[in-house]
Amino acid sequence: MPKKNGEHTPKLLVRRATPADVPALVELTARVYTAEWGHSAEMLQSQQTHFPEGQFVAEYEGRIIGYCATFRTDVETALRPHTWMQITGGGMASRHKPDGDWLYGMEVVVHPGYRNMRIGRRLYQARKRLCTDLKLRGIVFGGRIPGLARNIGRYGSAEAYVQAVVDGRRRDPTLSFQLSNGFEAAGILRDYVPSDHESLGFAVLLKWNNPRLLYQPEVAPIPSHQQRMPESVRVASVQYQQRRIRSFEEFATQVEYFTDIAADYGADFVTFPELITLQLLSIENEELSPVEAIHKLSHYTAQVKELFGGLAMRYNINIIAGSHPTEQPNGDIHNVCYVCLRDGSIHEREKLHVTPSERNVWHITGGESAATIPTDCGPIGVMICYDAEFPEVARHLSDQGALLLFVPFCTDVREGYLRVRYCAQARAIENQCYVVMSGNVGNLPGVNNFDIQYGQSCILTPSDFLFSRDGIAADSTPNTETVLFADLRLDYLARARNAGAVQNLKDRRFDLYESRWARAPDAKP
């Protein structure tokens, strides 16, 4: 019986606000600021009327839990002394200038019950995307400094307190967050919000310059799923140490540790190795046949999906969760990669080509579909280990628009690893794309067909002048647990495809050959 891909709708969305959201936003701002100081329906409607594309909400499972309001202004208005009431027109955004070249951030509100989900960071990212998409000079706003009232006696002035926070000698719960998001302090605003007693009425004039205006490269010819693709994406690859564990909770702790690290370094994606969950077989360490062991492992599927899906949302990062043997409705076992996006959606991508060992020892069978996955950084593709050794898979994903290909792998000896590595590098060159590899190291004695591991995770690029020497953006020490990071410029791929020393995608001979894929069993006609 053919299996249907388990695609789930997002739980968490950052989207443009609509008039229908106004009642929920009145309630949200009243909860955060009290009913007296919350935004009225008239204020919220006015903001949307003046600049509808500049108002965003964060929606979790159908509930509005965050709000972000902006308008356009000019540099003279934005950078001279002002109060919140003056510059926002009493919160109405009535001073919006359609031709203004700066984006003014007039509000960010997050429901107090959801402040462990990085909602504020997501809303600031939405602001930055809007600024870059509109080709504005940057973002400016007055930022609260709620630690001032408690520390004014020590520092003597708002200026001295802010300088201490900027220098890293003092942490402020709000200003430190703004600085970590790339904003810089450009001055002090007095009486910005007189009722803000924690800040003693002061605010810091914060500014973020649009980096896209510093250099205008060619725009990627491949459109993104819903929005313009970023110029640069930060990826992380976990070279994971296999070790005995005593419980699923211990496995979850290890996975969360690496997710936390990747998120703290600002990664958009983190990749784990193929068959990472075989570690779970060491919990009870039973004497089982290989086939029995794999079927037993499949019982953890729901927990695995819940774990990685929850981490993706909580840490605001897209997770390529390695792979996990999963039992199908007809009893077959497929090697499945769960791709958990930070919007709460979960996608399944199956290994298409199984090795002789997987087929003969574990009785694993191959999947049937290689579709891209739409993300907030553009479409991506997944090739699980052996799949990377078949050029048709990468070409099929690239033809669908993927600029990033992720290869969770699991190899026992150096010869096997090098087969995957050399082929992954070839796929990066052939398709002028990036390839991210993530493998296991260590060993699990007693776990059938998983005795030893050889791994050297890496992040690979095409081979041309724009890219890293030797076509390697990041490499690891073999057989040592570590995390790799690389900033991958998507606009470089566009330039290489359009004007590189070689232009593999353009120069294909469609008059001589073609590649056709059979329709997947669950595909719509």
Side-chain angles (χ1 to χ4, degrees), residues 411-419 452-455:
T411 50
D412 53 354
V413 294
R414 187 169 185 268
E415 289 80 2
Y417 161 74
L418 289 177
R419 285 195 298 269
I452 57 174
Q453 303 299 310
Y454 185 99

Side-chain angles (χ1 to χ4, degrees), residues 183-197:
F183 292 91
E184 60 184 58
I188 300 292
L189 299 170
R190 296 176 181 274
D191 298 317
Y192 186 70
V193 180
S195 62
D196 184 359
H197 302 299

Side-chain angles (χ1 to χ4, degrees), residues 451-467:
D451 306 291
I452 57 174
Q453 303 299 310
Y454 185 99
Q456 186 177 359
S457 303
C458 57
I459 301 169
L460 306 172
T461 77
S463 184
D464 210 337
F465 292 108
L466 288 168
F467 305 98

